[in-house]
Amino acid sequence: MKNLKWILTFSLVLSSFLSAIAGTKEANYDEAKVPKYKMIDPLVMADGTGVADKKGWRKRRAEIQKLFEQQVYGKTPEPKTVRFEVVEQGTSALDGKAVRRQVRAHFTDKPDGPGMDILIYLPAKATGPVPIFVGLNFNGNQTICEDPGIRISKGYIRNNQKYGVTNNRGMEKNRGRSSHLWAVDMILSRGYGLATMHCGEMEPDHSEGFSESVRALYPYSVADSWAAIGAWSWGLSRAVDYFETDKQIDAKRVIVIGHSRLGKTSLWAGACDERFAMVISNDSGCGGAALSKRAFGETVERINGNFPHWFCGNFKQYNSNEAALPLDQHMLLSMVAPRPLYVASAAEDLWADPHGEFLAARAASPVYQLLGTAGLPAMEMPQVDMPVHGRIGYHVRTGKHSVTEFDWKQYLNFADKNVK
Ligand code: GCU
């Protein structure tokens, strides 16, 4: 048993090393050089049986979930109890437009042990429980807007140098720095709440982060245990646990959103936890909404080489070997069905393969249709800035890898139609 563990660890280290070397290969941005690949039918069971109805889909869905657990994200254990401490019940904030609530989720019974702060804004005018967007942030709750009342998140921050800070922990200095990514006013004025947590509080985003991760509180095996994306998704689900206890939040209308690596996370969270009523992937790319087998832009080998802690050990087997994957990301998207799903791309974000994101959304559509919804009403990739909204929404907007006002407007329109 011990030997097996060593062999596994050794082969993973070796494959990460090899992929780091291979990572110097040029990325492919040429549609003509996309390898021929086989699209796996989400509506055919592994044994070849076709899925004909809702009951059949539940079986196939379980099969697909298992594949992603074994090969990509690892399996998330049954959660131990998390204790919620309402640190701030409700303070008027943002010029009276919001009520701010802050909740500490304690991951252990040690009061000053590991945990995460959930920052919640509710529209001040709300008269009943509100639907709510929940998304992780990269650099601390205090970064999402200038509000001086937001508690500073203490988790590890990657790339803190950008802020002239060197100790990789949150501080006053980065308050409001990511406000361009969060349309807080727009969300509140449309009658939705917003909740956010810092991903670094569930797991620091670096390859040595395990000991500080929530994963360290559970049994672990290298090959198919959860990795950072699993730990971050776990945090999103724990926020829903809290929402279920809060009378001002409608826990049946929780919309999970994430950008980029946190978009991969919102998809995995939304796929596994069916309490999320709607799921949004903003520019999630490789390991998110984009088809891996296209190997366009970021590849499996690149992502595993640069971010070995995001996915489980088994995923490393597919470095430069995407054809061997017994799944692809359209199957992850299909797990959200029939709940509303939004996939968004940015035209200049070729690294994330916009076309591959569209094709994955389109390939998930038959599952939506089988379950009696419209799916994605587009066979061809829509023009830039021309959103298509069915039960699956998709757009590719002008510009770079980011979350913009345009993106948020679409999400709100789509949520009004599908959730509100
Ligand atoms: C890198 C990474 C992407 C990821 C992105 C982000 O570019 O290669 O997979 O989505 O970072 O999270 O910003």
Side-chain angles (χ1 to χ4, degrees), residues 164-210:
V165 174
T166 48
N167 77 346
N168 290 101
R169 296 290 155 177
M171 53 177 63
E172 193 50 50
K173 215 165 176 170
N174 70 359
R175 191 178 295 281
R177 287 290 179 111
S178 306
S179 52
H180 59 289
L181 302 177
W182 298 89
V184 181
D185 280 359
M186 198 197 297
I187 296 166
L188 293 168
S189 69
R190 300 273 296 253
Y192 294 83
L194 172 66
T196 187
M197 296 87 72
H198 176 214
C199 65
E201 294 204 291
M202 285 127 255
E203 165 133 359
D205 189 5
H206 62 81
S207 56
E208 307 294 316
F210 180 84

Side-chain angles (χ1 to χ4, degrees), residues 138 259-262 264 283-286 298 303 306-307 310 351 401:
F138 287 76
H259 169 57
S260 209
R261 69 200 66 188
L262 301 178
K264 309 180 205 304
D283 306 358
S284 61
C286 182
E298 185 170 32
I303 206 164
N306 292 331
F307 307 99
W310 286 0
W351 183 242
H401 186 70

Side-chain angles (χ1 to χ4, degrees), residues 207-272:
S207 56
E208 307 294 316
F210 180 84
S211 60
E212 251 190 83
S213 163
V214 65
R215 294 190 285 141
L217 304 173
Y218 292 84
Y220 184 71
S221 93
V222 181
D224 63 354
S225 283
W226 51 337
I229 290 177
W232 297 332
S233 307
W234 176 94
L236 287 164
S237 286
R238 302 294 71 76
V240 184
D241 296 346
Y242 169 73
F243 300 155
E244 286 177 335
T245 69
D246 187 321
K247 292 197 172 53
Q248 283 169 290
I249 295 174
D250 184 346
K252 296 259 179 294
R253 290 184 296 162
V254 179
I255 302 163
V256 63
I257 179 166
H259 169 57
S260 209
R261 69 200 66 188
L262 301 178
K264 309 180 205 304
T265 305
S266 63
L267 285 174
W268 181 232
C272 295

Side-chain angles (χ1 to χ4, degrees), residues 26-35 37 285-286 290-300 302 322 347 349-357 359:
E26 285 286 302
N28 176 42
Y29 293 121
D30 183 352
E31 214 37 70
K33 292 195 182 132
V34 169
Y37 61 94
C286 182
L291 293 174
S292 300
K293 290 182 195 254
R294 278 169 50 83
F296 186 102
E298 185 170 32
T299 58
V300 170
R302 286 250 183 178
E322 286 90 349
D349 186 17
L350 294 182
W351 183 242
D353 187 13
H355 191 209
E357 297 190 311
L359 292 175

